[in-house]
Amino acid sequence: MGDTPATTPNRFPPQIPFIIGNEACERFSFYGMRNILTVFLIDYLLRNAVPDEGARSAQAKSMMHLFMAGVYFFPLLGGYLADRWFGKFKVILSLSLVYCLGHACLAVFENNATGFYTGLFLISLGSGGIKPCVSAMVGDQFNESNKHLVKKVFAIFYWTINFGSFFASLLIPLTLKHLGPAVAFGIPGLLMFVATIIFWAGRRHYVVVPPTGPNPHSFLKVIFSALSHRERTPGGHWLDGARKQHPPEAVEGARAVLRISGLIFPTIPFFWMLFDQKASTWVIQARAMDPQVGPITFQPSQMQFINPLLVMILIPLLVGVVYPLFQRGGWELTPLRRMPLGLAVGAFSYAIAGYYQVLIERGSTLNISWQLLPYIVLTLSEVLVSTTGLEFAYTQAPREMKGIIQSLWLLTTTLANVAVAIAAALNVFTGAGQFFFYGGLALLAAVAMALMARSYKVRDYYQFDASGPVPDRAQPPPATVG
């Protein structure tokens, strides 16, 4: 990690394979353990403690979503430590070791609830903590001479995530069935250890951006300053009081954060309520289906392989074919149109799954292949909401506030999983009712977002020249206001 490695304009920097290899193994390890978590809790860990299967399924679902809430909360901590104090490399390496320890706990304490839950906590800390750092470190490896390769490398990076998820979803449920929990959790742990070794092996090649130290004009400091110096000027914004202690660009950045937060927080959590239940509610539904598809017997958790497979297909199809067709037809699918549409599509996937549940409760035996249709619809919803929304949120704030925007975007997932965990623990909804309840919430969120989008002023902030003065700290030029 000394000298910056020499770069060739049309070739990826030599350190990129280390980061990509790390990501592939880490994503296999995460999705491998997560996708069998609900089934393991129902069939193994909670079997004796909670004899009633309905109550056991509800408790397993609650635990799974509490775990996911932690996974998407700890990026706040990991990103802060990396940006302000220790740098990305040290945070990724140290938290990867914590991550490995968590996997070891799952494999060793398969019959011990305290030890197993400790492992889940360590994995949520490690996985969540490195989440914002790894993707940002990819971008750090490029400069002016090869910045045209950044889009390509992130496409490979995202494809690698789904590649790891695809094989983990296929293989680890079978491992749990035939070899037991210790091996099923041990294999993802081994892959995480390999991921850590791969990342460490590239240590002499990485471009390391040093931490910035405390930011005197951070989002929270601007907010507290504005509250302490409330302006009484008629027609003025309440944030203007912060101008006494902070530069105008910091105040404008805080205003941008509040603007995008007002759009995503009342709506986006309802998408994550739908999406993350494919690892809990949809798995529980699959347990009541006929698993035999031709000569193949599918495990309930295996059906999740459909999602990463479809993501790898749908993203190039939508970006390369569907979106340009709409644009040529005179009705562009802008981000503010895609996201409400995606919420509505997600609600439709739950209507389909809810109808299946009604048939099951009436005594029908459905084949597990019937889940293919709602998985397709839900994955389309993911592409419209998740991939679009992350990019949209990133462009809507000046450079100093892009980190907080990304953190707030991840926080919507935490809020969604906490809500689902509480509802599951209270066993508020069971059977088909839960599908229609969450689908209905998402549909209302789609309508609300569509209405709010009509008055939302798009203000794209870009950094045009990384080597020169920062132009995106003030108001965007009129040409970028959509």
Side-chain angles (χ1 to χ4, degrees), residues 297-340:
T297 301
F298 279 92
Q299 301 303 310
S301 300
Q302 271 187 300
M303 294 304 291
Q304 295 175 77
F305 85 90
I306 299 169
N307 174 253
L309 177 63
L310 287 173
V311 166
M312 291 187 285
I313 296 171
L314 284 177
I315 287 181
L317 178 64
L318 289 173
V319 173
V321 179
V322 176
Y323 296 161
L325 281 177
F326 273 92
Q327 190 170 13
R328 286 196 292 269
W331 195 74
E332 183 179 358
L333 277 174
T334 63
L336 287 178
R337 288 172 177 166
R338 288 183 224 160
M339 289 188 287

Side-chain angles (χ1 to χ4, degrees), residues 194-218:
V194 172
T196 305
I197 294 297
I198 291 173
F199 181 75
W200 176 82
R203 66 194 182 282
R204 300 186 186 279
H205 303 284
Y206 299 131
V207 174
V208 177
V209 177
T212 62
N215 180 6
H217 306 300
S218 67

Side-chain angles (χ1 to χ4, degrees), residues 150-211:
V150 171
K151 188 172 184 178
K152 184 177 181 180
V153 78
F154 273 108
I156 296 172
F157 188 79
Y158 194 79
W159 190 90
T160 300
I161 292 173
N162 288 280
F163 179 82
S165 174
F166 172 75
F167 283 101
S169 300
L170 276 179
L171 299 177
I172 300 303
L174 286 175
T175 307
L176 177 65
K177 174 71 175 178
H178 297 292
L179 299 178
V183 178
F185 287 118
I187 292 175
L190 179 62
L191 264 293
M192 187 57 221
F193 182 72
V194 172
T196 305
I197 294 297
I198 291 173
F199 181 75
W200 176 82
R203 66 194 182 282
R204 300 186 186 279
H205 303 284
Y206 299 131
V207 174
V208 177
V209 177

Side-chain angles (χ1 to χ4, degrees), residues 167-391:
F167 283 101
S169 300
L170 276 179
L171 299 177
I172 300 303
L174 286 175
T175 307
L176 177 65
K177 174 71 175 178
H178 297 292
L179 299 178
V183 178
F185 287 118
I187 292 175
L190 179 62
L191 264 293
M192 187 57 221
F193 182 72
V194 172
T196 305
I197 294 297
I198 291 173
F199 181 75
W200 176 82
R203 66 194 182 282
R204 300 186 186 279
H205 303 284
Y206 299 131
V207 174
V208 177
V209 177
T212 62
N215 180 6
H217 306 300
S218 67
F219 172 73
L220 290 180
K221 289 179 180 178
V222 171
I223 295 296
F224 288 138
S225 177
L227 293 174
S228 302
H229 304 88
R230 295 289 297 270
E231 289 283 354
R232 301 296 180 184
T233 306
H237 195 279
W238 67 272
L239 278 175
D240 291 339
R243 294 177 184 271
K244 295 180 179 179
Q245 295 180 322
H246 301 280
E249 58 268 18
V251 178
E252 166 59 23
R255 185 180 287 115
V257 170
L258 295 177
R259 188 166 57 242
I260 187 65
S261 297
L263 180 69
I264 66 174
F265 270 99
T267 56
I268 297 300
F270 294 101
F271 164 74
W272 294 117
M273 287 183 188
L274 305 185
F275 185 75
D276 282 341
Q277 287 191 72
K278 68 182 175 64
S280 58
T281 307
W282 287 32
V283 171
I284 294 171
Q285 182 186 71
R287 287 165 56 86
M289 293 179 159
D290 175 14
Q292 197 70 29
V293 181
I296 302 174
T297 301
F298 279 92
Q299 301 303 310
S301 300
Q302 271 187 300
M303 294 304 291
Q304 295 175 77
F305 85 90
I306 299 169
N307 174 253
L309 177 63
L310 287 173
V311 166
M312 291 187 285
I313 296 171
L314 284 177
I315 287 181
L317 178 64
L318 289 173
V319 173
V321 179
V322 176
Y323 296 161
L325 281 177
F326 273 92
Q327 190 170 13
R328 286 196 292 269
W331 195 74
E332 183 179 358
L333 277 174
T334 63
L336 287 178
R337 288 172 177 166
R338 288 183 224 160
M339 289 188 287
L341 177 61
L343 279 162
V345 170
F348 182 55
S349 74
Y350 267 63
I352 299 170
Y355 173 67
Y356 291 171
Q357 193 65 32
V358 170
L359 296 179
I360 292 171
E361 291 170 3
R362 289 178 179 175
S364 300
T365 301
L366 303 182
N367 190 273
I368 200 170
S369 62
W370 282 43
Q371 280 199 326
L372 178 63
L373 178 59
Y375 265 108
I376 292 173
V377 179
L378 184 65
T379 304
L380 176 60
S381 172
E382 176 194 4
V383 175
L384 290 170
V385 175
S386 181
T387 57
T388 298
L390 191 60
E391 177 187 352

Side-chain angles (χ1 to χ4, degrees), residues 3 12 14 33 66 71-72 93 114 130 145 225 258 265 268 288 304 306 310-311 346-347 353 418 420 431 441 454:
D3 297 332
F12 288 139
M33 62 76 48
L66 280 177
V71 168
Y72 285 92
L93 186 60
T114 301
I130 70 174
S145 68
S225 177
L258 295 177
F265 270 99
I268 297 300
Q304 295 175 77
I306 299 169
L310 287 173
V311 166
V418 168
V420 174
L441 288 179
R454 297 175 65 180

Side-chain angles (χ1 to χ4, degrees), residues 41 45-46 59 63 106 112-122:
L41 292 172
L45 191 64
L46 300 177
Q59 186 171 334
M63 287 303 305
L106 299 194
N112 184 300
T114 301
F116 190 85
Y117 293 150
T118 299
L120 288 182
F121 171 78
L122 293 175

Side-chain angles (χ1 to χ4, degrees), residues 98-148:
V98 172
Y99 200 161
C100 291
L101 181 60
H103 273 295
C105 288
L106 299 194
V108 172
F109 297 111
E110 59 175 292
N111 297 314
N112 184 300
T114 301
F116 190 85
Y117 293 150
T118 299
L120 288 182
F121 171 78
L122 293 175
I123 290 176
S124 66
L125 174 60
S127 173
I130 70 174
K131 187 180 292 292
C133 303
V134 177
S135 57
M137 193 164 178
V138 173
D140 290 346
Q141 308 310 304
F142 293 82
N143 55 35
E144 282 293 315
S145 68
N146 58 1
K147 65 181 181 180
H148 60 284

